[in-house]
Amino acid sequence: ELVDYDGELQDDTFRHRYGETLPTWLIDKCEDCGWKHPTHIQQRVLDTVLLDANVTDVVVQAQTGSGKTLSYLLPCLASIDASRSAVQALIVVPTRELGLQVSRVAKRLAKPQNIMVMSVLQGSQNRRQRAWAWADPPQLVIGTPDELCKIIQLGGIKRYNSIRFIVVDEVDACLLNDYGNALQSSGTPLHELLSKLLSPTYDDGKDRADDET
């Protein structure tokens, strides 16, 4: 449900309300960035994701500018073990522009823990990113559905059982076909990514290490 006050700041602070569920370094960084109080939508999402142990999947609908990005980045980053060299979270975005915006905020928040954030977007160099992912895997990957499919097929993201957190931002736009026409629930890069490529049993039978971009 969209409400006019989704972006309004709440009385509680992040530290007071989520001090027991968010790591201190992340709350400190939020305050350094000037984000001391959650917006209405952030508080609703964090209350559900962090404080309700029975919830595993969440659908969020909010107005533009309400702070939706931070509402998923905080629990996403909190779920990552910075000492573990493996992809632990994916954020799927519909466009390069949105991906760059989300990446900037994620890198800013992740800096204190040296959490590695990699962007996989149109115009990116998949071969270079695949080499990076093999040599020193990022913990958080942000990308469009088609580019994420490509880098997984090239072998740049493996060990699917290490992924603990998946976000699909603007899911309706991510489901649009290549021509921007009607929504399709299957046959899209997003469907292939979630139902096939991220399956722990996925194997295309090819030697991906020798694939060319």
Side-chain angles (χ1 to χ4, degrees), residues 9-10 34 45 61 116 118 133 139 182-183 192 204:
L9 295 178
Q10 304 301 286
V45 173
Q61 185 179 17
M116 292 181 63
M118 183 173 76
Q139 284 97 12
L183 294 176
E192 182 180 12
D204 61 8

Side-chain angles (χ1 to χ4, degrees), residues 44-114:
R44 288 187 66 186
V45 173
L46 293 176
D47 281 358
T48 302
V49 175
L50 299 177
L51 304 183
D52 190 338
N54 296 317
V55 172
T56 57
D57 299 295
V58 176
V59 177
V60 179
Q61 185 179 17
Q63 295 182 341
T64 300
S66 60
K68 176 170 53 69
T69 301
L70 198 63
S71 73
Y72 64 70
L73 276 179
L74 292 181
C76 177
L77 291 169
S79 74
I80 292 174
D81 180 357
S83 67
R84 187 180 183 192
S85 183
V87 178
Q88 299 170 47
L90 288 180
I91 297 176
V92 188
V93 294
T95 65
R96 174 180 174 83
E97 291 71 26
L98 180 58
L100 291 173
Q101 294 174 25
V102 174
S103 294
R104 281 194 292 268
V105 178
K107 289 176 180 178
R108 189 177 180 186
L109 289 171
K111 189 174 182 180
Q113 286 295 99
N114 293 316

Side-chain angles (χ1 to χ4, degrees), residues 12 16 90 115 155-156:
D12 258 347
H16 178 263
L90 288 180
I115 293 173

